[in-house]
Amino acid sequence: RRPAGPAFVPHWRRVRRAPKEVAPAAPKVFLKGQKVILETPITVKDLSSKLGIKASNIITKLLMEHNIGATMNQSLDEETVALLALDFGIEAEFKKAKRPEEELKVELAVPSRTADLVSRPPIVTFMGHVDHGKTSLLDAIRKTNVAGGEVGGITQHIGAYRVETNGRSVVFLDTPGHEAFTAMRARGSQATDVAVLVVAADDGVMPQTEEALNHAKAAGVPVVVAINKIDKPEANPMRVKQQLAKLGLVPEEWGGKTGFVETSATTKKGLEELLERLLLEAEILELKANPKGTARGVVLEARLHEGRGVVATVIIQDGTLHLGDPLLCGQASGRVRAMYNDRGQAVTEAGPSYPVSVSDLSTIPEAGEKFYVLKDMQRAKGIALDRQKQLREAGLKERSHVSLENLYTKIEAGKVKELKLILKADVKGSLEVLENMLEELSTGEVKVRILHSGIGSITESDVILADASDAIIIGFYVALEEGVSGLAEGRGVEIRHYQVIYDITRDVKAAMEGLLEPEKKEVVTGQVEIKQVFKI
Ligand code: GDP
């Protein structure tokens, strides 16, 4: 018996014909006079079966008339399909295919019942100038509040650790510094609830202290100040308070809102007090989560572990994570096969604010990626694959951060209410003048907000802040640090260079009013050398 399917032709009887000339395929009769409803994006294959037109005809048409080289499984967007429909004389109506991602959004938007909400521990990041004692403070707190009470006293570095004080917990992120903090924000996540700004009492406020503070402010994260190295004879906490008060961090005892704690990583002075203060901030913030809900949170770091596969250390922001849960994490998916806490103990579940390392995922997610637990593995896998595909396709498109050129359109569309700027200049004098002049350009519709201003070259940290906060960088008489130009291009961040202050205010004003002339770019297409000049 012959197998079912197309008529069997033995190979010796198969004739190789020259490809037939493609006749403009008429739509199948059943389509005449009736509208086809198409969901886009659609693959050539699916389109072919929907329209009743051979895929090869579609491919030829695309190539010959629209100069698009397509394959069977290529997905076509609405514009292309509309052209094709026109070619084939078909009346088409379009419907956007609902992407699994959108369904996910709906699913995740369901709020927890207030009755289920309980307080969760605050998640804290240390920031500040280099050598002011961030790492030492992290270590000192870990040693006093974790290791002491544990058998063996070994803690695992999993990107975060939890300490206990008087029966309540505080969680510290292990990578101190505002760069890591903002890099995470640039990926759309914020794990930190409270930032501790570490300032050495002998050194006082330094450029990176200010930078760190501006990063925390841009993220809207409350700041507690640790005046560290208080054990040093040269320590001058009063000066630190005065310097920070000028930057808007006014100590409570002076009528302000900011908590200041004097600490020493060396003598351990003030550590308990710092923890108490952080718990107080958490109370003010009313940090709540629903331990009964499905887990969601942020990836702190991830790597390939020999024997365990892809291991991600995550911090749970809401819900409880269980062994066996299906995870979706950026473009990665996987079941939680093993889970360890920050003390290296295997655990079967982890609640809000807990850091754990989980394995095994399909690919390595990036730090700052959000993760969710979904109902079943199939969906997690489906969405992860969809995201991979989406990313490949979007790779061709540019990211659309705000720029002076697109500012007006974004304002009109109601997408921008604040023009965020990062200013870098060669001297302090110009910075002050610039800040004032630019802020005065604010109108009722758009407020000009200076996220950060500093002296010196434009750095990677500036670009990451701009990326995370959708800001434009303006440089006045400054250069770019190495690698910054490429990073900015990759992230779609605009950097503008100026040599005249008036030009900056003129351009920003024009951009806000939609009157900015398109930027003229010189493109060198060739060079000539003049060898001789003749007089004619
Ligand atoms: P980071 O760059 O902010 O992480 O700073 P580190 O934690 O690496 O500290 C820089 C230096 O300051 C190290 O040599 C520490 O031993 C020292 N240090 C940190 N905290 C204290 C402190 O409270 N008192 C004293 N005297 N030295 C400290």
Side-chain angles (χ1 to χ4, degrees):
R1 270 190 163 212
R2 285 187 192 141
F8 176 75
V9 182
H11 68 88
W12 62 89
R13 292 186 61 182
R14 282 183 208 156
V15 187
R16 263 173 219 238
R17 288 198 209 106
K20 260 196 280 176
E21 201 173 298
V22 182
K28 273 191 180 168
V29 183
F30 66 85
L31 288 174
K32 266 205 177 139
Q34 80 185 60
K35 255 190 207 157
V36 206
I37 296 173
L38 297 170
E39 282 194 351
T40 51
I42 186 167
T43 61
V44 171
K45 203 158 120 197
D46 292 346
L47 186 67
S48 149
S49 70
K50 270 257 170 185
L51 297 183
I53 296 174
K54 272 195 191 156
S56 59
N57 286 1
I58 295 179
I59 291 173
T60 320
K61 198 71 153 177
L62 279 172
L63 188 65
M64 304 302 275
E65 290 185 24
H66 305 292
N67 212 9
I68 298 170
T71 57
M72 277 295 255
N73 292 319
Q74 182 120 0
S75 76
L76 305 173
D77 59 6
E78 185 181 319
E79 204 180 322
T80 316
V81 179
L83 285 174
L84 276 172
L86 214 62
D87 289 340
F88 292 115
I90 292 166
E91 202 182 335
E93 195 181 314
F94 293 100
K95 209 169 91 183
K96 276 258 173 296
K98 209 170 192 166
R99 302 236 332 276
E101 190 81 35
E102 285 161 32
E103 286 167 18
L104 180 69
K105 259 186 211 153
V106 177
E107 186 179 318
L108 295 174
V110 183
S112 291
R113 286 185 312 170
T114 330
D116 292 332
L117 294 178
V118 298
S119 301
R120 67 168 175 86
I123 303 168
V124 179
T125 298
F126 279 101
M127 297 182 187
H129 196 74
V130 66
D131 280 348
H132 278 196
K134 301 179 289 290
T135 317
S136 308
L137 279 173
L138 268 170
D139 285 347
I141 292 173
R142 190 200 315 253
K143 286 204 187 94
T144 7
N145 295 66
V146 178
E150 297 288 327
V151 187
I154 304 161
T155 54
Q156 302 282 315
H157 279 271
I158 65 161
Y161 66 86
R162 192 169 46 88
V163 303
E164 237 137 85
T165 174
N166 302 328
R168 293 194 296 165
S169 307
V170 181
V171 177
F172 290 94
L173 296 188
D174 235 351
T175 328
H178 55 277
E179 288 90 354
F181 167 83
T182 300
M184 230 182 226
R185 275 187 61 226
R187 299 211 59 79
S189 308
Q190 185 161 301
T192 305
D193 300 309
V194 185
V196 176
L197 187 64
V198 181
V199 189
D202 54 340
D203 227 9
V205 169
M206 298 300 272
Q208 280 176 42
T209 315
E210 259 187 75
E211 190 170 304
L213 174 58
N214 289 336
H215 279 235
K217 274 188 190 165
V221 168
V223 172
V224 169
V225 179
I227 305 183
N228 193 36
K229 306 199 187 182
I230 200 72
D231 57 291
K232 283 198 162 183
E234 320 83 279
N236 187 351
M238 187 51 105
R239 187 175 62 132
V240 175
K241 284 183 189 172
Q242 283 163 349
Q243 288 173 325
L244 285 175
K246 276 194 200 143
L247 297 174
L249 293 183
V250 183
E252 271 172 347
E253 62 263 36
W254 298 357
K257 285 194 183 125
T258 310
F260 280 66
V261 182
E262 295 182 2
T263 61
S264 164
T266 313
T267 67
K268 314 256 191 292
K269 180 180 181 295
L271 300 188
E272 272 310 310
E273 208 184 319
L274 180 61
L275 290 177
E276 283 303 325
R277 179 69 214 197
L278 290 169
L279 286 167
L280 180 68
E281 287 303 318
E283 259 171 47
I284 299 169
L285 289 170
E286 295 187 33
L287 300 174
K288 296 253 160 78
N290 173 13
K292 289 182 192 160
T294 46
R296 63 176 86 175
V298 179
V299 175
L300 299 176
E301 54 190 49
R303 67 203 154 85
L304 192 63
H305 184 286
E306 222 178 295
R308 280 183 70 197
V310 175
V311 178
T313 65
V314 301
I315 196 148
I316 294 151
Q317 291 176 308
D318 202 357
T320 296
L321 186 63
H322 305 271
L323 267 187
D325 275 349
L327 272 188
L328 169 69
C329 181
Q331 300 168 58
S333 60
R335 246 180 226 292
V336 181
R337 296 202 194 287
M339 183 152 64
Y340 293 90
N341 68 11
D342 55 327
R343 285 141 218 213
Q345 299 154 330
V347 289
T348 53
E349 56 175 40
S353 288
Y354 274 62
V356 281
S357 87
V358 298
S359 56
D360 163 31
L361 294 172
S362 58
T363 57
I364 303 176
E366 280 186 68
E369 202 72 75
K370 290 180 183 141
F371 80 82
Y372 305 99
V373 167
L374 299 190
K375 286 201 189 82
D376 61 87
M377 199 54 228
Q378 209 57 33
R379 279 203 65 213
K381 227 185 223 168
I383 297 175
L385 288 176
D386 183 59
R387 283 180 178 176
Q388 287 173 13
K389 193 174 120 207
Q390 210 62 23
L391 206 79
R392 270 199 304 275
E393 283 168 11
L396 311 166
K397 287 183 210 146
E398 267 185 42
R399 299 176 51 155
S400 75
H401 271 311
V402 70
S403 71
L404 282 195
E405 287 207 21
N406 69 20
L407 175 65
Y408 190 67
T409 0
K410 290 205 173 191
I411 294 172
E412 285 225 299
K415 281 190 189 144
V416 171
K417 298 232 166 2
E418 261 186 344
L419 171 59
K420 294 175 194 154
L421 299 174
I422 294 170
L423 302 178
K424 292 308 272 288
D426 55 342
V427 289
K428 203 163 174 77
S430 347
L431 267 186
E432 280 165 7
V433 175
L434 254 178
E435 273 179 50
N436 289 335
M437 287 175 79
L438 284 168
E439 273 168 347
E440 268 174 24
L441 294 179
S442 297
T443 63
E445 277 174 6
V446 201
K447 194 171 164 256
V448 179
R449 187 172 154 208
I450 315 284
L451 283 190
H452 173 60
S453 66
I455 300 163
S457 315
I458 296 168
T459 61
E460 279 191 9
S461 146
D462 295 327
V463 175
I464 293 167
L465 179 61
D467 183 22
S469 315
D470 202 12
I472 300 170
I473 303 177
I474 289 180
F476 183 69
Y477 271 112
V478 291
L480 294 177
E481 267 183 14
E482 214 183 294
V484 167
S485 165
L487 181 70
E489 215 165 281
R491 304 283 181 102
V493 168
E494 184 179 37
I495 301 181
R496 287 195 162 237
H497 298 276
Y498 289 93
Q499 255 117 40
V500 180
I501 287 193
Y502 168 73
D503 287 349
I504 305 180
T505 48
R506 181 203 56 200
D507 280 5
V508 171
K509 189 160 187 280
M512 288 167 68
E513 290 165 356
L515 300 171
L516 187 75
E517 301 236 334
E519 199 186 343
K520 291 190 185 107
K521 272 190 196 147
E522 245 174 60
V523 181
V524 180
T525 51
Q527 288 182 332
V528 294
E529 188 185 340
I530 297 166
K531 293 272 198 181
Q532 210 172 351
V533 180
F534 303 90
K535 253 192 181 153
I536 299 170

